[in-house]
């Protein structure tokens, strides 16, 4: 599977963005999907993840504000981000993990999210 992330941009504090991660290939339904982010000078961190059957969990920093979802018919995962703050500024990456082979991981190219007034 190959991944193409999109939807980033500049938004004011309190605003919203929706990121998309489009996957190529026929195995999207056999992958767990995740969104990670990396801010300047910081390590990449997990933001949210969703299993192939739609079970989701979130980092504490985004619980109640972000929602991860997926549409297996469209081979796409989403990250709806609400009530954004400057601390959410980072490059966001999507990640696909094969449900049968946990070491088979694919990363998208990243999309920049900047939260600033």
């Amino acid at each position: 599977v190959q991944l193409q992330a999109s939807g980033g941009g500049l938004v004011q504090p309190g605003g919203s963005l929706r990121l998309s991660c489009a996957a190529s290939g026929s195995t999207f339904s056999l992958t767990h999907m995740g969104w990670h982010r990396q801010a300047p000078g910081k390590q990449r961190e997990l933001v949210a993840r969703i299993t192939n059957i739609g079970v989701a969990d979130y980092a504490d920093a985004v619980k109640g504000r972000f929602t991860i979802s997926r549409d297996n018919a469209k081979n796409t995962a989403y990250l709806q981000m609400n009530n954004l703050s400057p601390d959410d500024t980072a490059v966001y990456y999507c990640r696909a993990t094969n449900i049968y082979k946990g070491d088979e991981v694919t990363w998208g190219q990243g999309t920049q999210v900047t939260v600033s007034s």
Side-chain angles (χ1 to χ4, degrees), residues 3 11 16 24 31 35 53 94 103 114:
L3 304 175
V11 63
S16 298
S24 63
T31 62
W35 285 97
I53 59 172
C94 57
D103 59 348
T114 303

Side-chain angles (χ1 to χ4, degrees), residues 42-102:
K42 295 186 176 181
Q43 290 189 331
R44 191 173 298 188
E45 61 178 0
L46 174 67
V47 174
R49 56 189 175 185
I50 187 167
T51 70
N52 64 316
I53 59 172
V55 178
D57 66 336
Y58 301 89
D60 287 343
V62 306
K63 280 181 181 176
R65 300 188 298 122
F66 290 12
T67 302
I68 189 171
S69 61
R70 67 189 294 159
D71 186 336
N72 287 347
K74 294 183 178 180
N75 281 7
T76 303
Y78 304 96
L79 185 68
Q80 177 66 44
M81 307 185 293
N82 298 329
N83 194 22
L84 285 160
S85 76
D87 288 342
D88 297 314
T89 296
V91 178
Y92 283 71
Y93 299 88
C94 57
R95 167 179 162 152
T97 304
N98 186 299
I99 66 171
Y100 298 119
K101 303 175 184 178

